[in-house]
């Protein structure tokens, strides 16, 4: 079952399609998605959420950032600001 829409900026679409973007970082008070949920991402199709975790920004690494479609932790943190 596909739940609702999940929005991603266009810059992440290619990485979601080719599998290089495997994480997303959101500044939410509470999760808006559920583990195992399937969400429509227009115009690329459907994504399935494998896990939802709360993390402190200070614990993120360059590897985390690259999995999210960023070149570095610094770029990710700037994006999140």
């Amino acid at each position: 079952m596909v739940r609702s829409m999940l929005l991603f900026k266009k810059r992440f679409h290619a990485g979601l399609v080719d599998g290089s973007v495997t994480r997303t970082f959101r500044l939410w008070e509470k999760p808006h998605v559920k583990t195992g949920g399937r969400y429509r991402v227009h115009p690329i199709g459907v994504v399935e959420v494998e896990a939802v975790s709360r993390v402190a920004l200070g614990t993120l690494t360059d590897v985390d950032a690259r999995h999210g479609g960023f070149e570095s932790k610094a770029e990710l943190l700037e994006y999140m600001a």
Side-chain angles (χ1 to χ4, degrees):
M1 170 180 140
V2 176
R3 296 181 189 268
S4 58
M5 295 266 306
L6 187 58
L7 299 176
F8 284 90
K9 289 189 174 190
K10 192 174 188 174
R11 68 173 274 187
F12 301 108
H13 290 184
L16 288 164
V17 171
D18 71 19
S20 62
V21 171
T22 59
R23 297 178 191 168
T24 186
F25 301 94
R26 309 290 174 126
L27 293 173
W28 290 336
E29 289 292 321
K30 62 181 180 178
H32 296 204
V33 298
K34 294 182 179 184
T35 299
R38 295 169 49 88
Y39 300 87
R40 186 169 289 111
V41 178
H42 182 75
I44 63 172
V46 175
V47 297
E48 183 172 351
V49 175
E50 293 181 355
V52 177
S53 302
R54 175 174 245 163
V55 297
L57 291 176
T59 66
L60 296 173
T61 66
D62 284 331
V63 172
D64 294 320
R66 284 191 293 277
H67 283 288
F70 299 92
E71 292 294 320
S72 66
K73 175 182 175 178
E75 183 187 2
L76 169 58
L77 294 178
E78 182 178 320
Y79 178 83
M80 298 294 285

